[in-house]
Amino acid sequence: MKKQTLLTLFALLCLWPAAADEGMWLPSLISARIDDMRAKGFRLTAEEIYSINRASMKDAVVLFDGGCTGELVSAEGLLLTNHHCGYDAIQRHSTVEHDYLTHGFWARSRAEELPNKGLNVRFLVRMEEVTDRIAAGETPEEIIARAEAEGAGYKASVEQMYYGDQQFLFIYEQFDDVRLVAAPPSSIGKFGGDTDNWIWPRHTGDFSIFRIYASKENKPAAYSPDNVPYRPKKHFTISTRGFREGDFTMIYGFPGNTQEYILSDAAEYIATQSDPAKIAIRDGRLDIIARAQESDPALRIHYAAKHAAIANAWKKWQGEVLGLNRMKTVAAKQEQEQAFARENPRGEELLREMKAEYARITTPYFAREITLETLRALPAKYSAEERAETVFPARRETERALFRWLFGEYARRCPVQYQVPAFLDGAAANGSPEAFAEKVFEEVWAGGETPLADSLRSGSKRMLDHISWLLGTDRLRNLISNRLNTLYREYVHELRETWPERPFYPDANLTLRVAYGAIAGYEYADGEYHKPQTTLDGIIAKDNPEIYDYDIPQSLRDLYASKEYGRWGVEVDGRRTVPVCFLASNHTTGGNSGSPVLNADGELIGINFDRTWRSTMSDIAFDPAICRNIAVDIRYVLFVVDRIGGAGYLLKEMRIK
């Protein structure tokens, strides 16, 4: 009996972070992980990853545009990130006459590089724990003000780890002159579109190239023609030697949001209530937009970024639900909670308090999610250009259909006690939510005064504020409240005290992290093993000129036919081809898009851009057997730059092995 109990406890402990390749580790504390990293093949030191006294890897990594990651690959500020991270910038420069989304963009000189208003990158200067300073009475605002006064262009934030059990100061240097250098055609950079999104095998050349500019003193500066390419402290060497399954990999980036320590109550809410509702709402939005895009090339460009933004989370949520159900995550977490209650003297009472708080907040939080997905997803006004029938003759009906759909979904799904009074009155007076939507839409589209829309927007804002008041916080990316956050702080602290042998890592919060693992395929289904590498042959197999997302450039077809791949060709199973994408077991999430994938020597071998569909639940529960990140092979990036873009001059800036 005792032996069985110990085995059960061990099995449960294996579900707590961090097992196998799980984990998103703070770089300033990476020395605690370096022995494990080196045991798995890493050949560098902790100080080469993170140092404030010398140039280190952190100085070659940036937070790109506030939500992605980028990496420096030259001594002249050249930066790689994902195509989808640069998508908004590429779209803003695109017109029907100069359709950079479809045809790509390749600056032939520095003078042709395109500035991007509002786009910035941030380098981490340093991070330090300030838990004791705050406990001693210093406020986060005071700490931030002192930090930002240290240097021009410095931005700082104090971020909570383990729900505030520890707090860290992050100091960044922000550069605001970031210019577009190159982007492949969308048929490469977004190859497969939404159909292939989150899917393996993958054949997407998801990259774009920017350059950071600075003052002549190499300091942050607003855009100016007099600015010069930034000279980084560190940039990555690129390895084209290839790799084998099992080789060490490391990701250095800014993961956005995970919830690894949530109770079964929250996991059940996500799997059975939140995700299914949001998926259904976005089903309708995507269907309406897709029909418009198919009808008009101008509308295809106009809605491209919006469609991609809506579809990304929509498909992720579907995989998340499947993964949570497959892993039986709710039941597994319930078992974990029972083990904690047995092992920790405070455990049973603490869990009871947390579950009571979940019962109190779930309905208003769900109302908040539905409101954001419906009423708050609609535009408050349209520009004169958007309303011009000669420019977008079918856009009016598309926008009308979106209003009707989202008003109807709000009425059907938002708990009535949290519906905006102006909405309830308007729907009743007009006979239905859809009829009221028509009236509001015509008012907004007219471009004049919008009293109905204004009352809905102000009413929904008041309702959202009321829900935030009920929950005691406006930091509501996840199902949480101020009270629950306090309880989680104690809960995670007690977890770490109860099982000190387990290496717990803080949830992702868009701060710089290290994740490491290996090149790895996985068993997708019984008897079906997915290899970790794809090649150009797979692109050709999917090529279809009749489908926009699969219509590759003719130049790529010609190169495949001639096999003139230059230095980028490799031998695979006796055939000459080009590597395209690969899988690894690194723990990633949103924000890791664009992150450098590094080998055991810290050399760049790929750019992270996605996870497999069956991995999307890794924000909540990581399964080392199947959780895989997807990266574009750096050899394919260089091949496209050189042979498709004809921009081989860019390669001369890079250090390539």
Side-chain angles (χ1 to χ4, degrees), residues 387-407:
R387 290 184 285 110
E389 296 290 340
T390 55
V391 179
F392 296 117
R395 187 166 190 267
R396 176 173 183 164
E397 294 312 308
T398 301
E399 294 297 307
R400 184 197 306 276
L402 288 169
F403 266 76
R404 287 179 58 88
W405 172 256
L406 292 177
F407 271 49

Side-chain angles (χ1 to χ4, degrees), residues 497-512:
E497 290 289 317
T498 303
W499 292 301
E501 70 276 15
R502 296 294 296 168
F504 291 86
Y505 58 90
D507 273 321
N509 56 2
L510 208 62
T511 57
L512 190 60

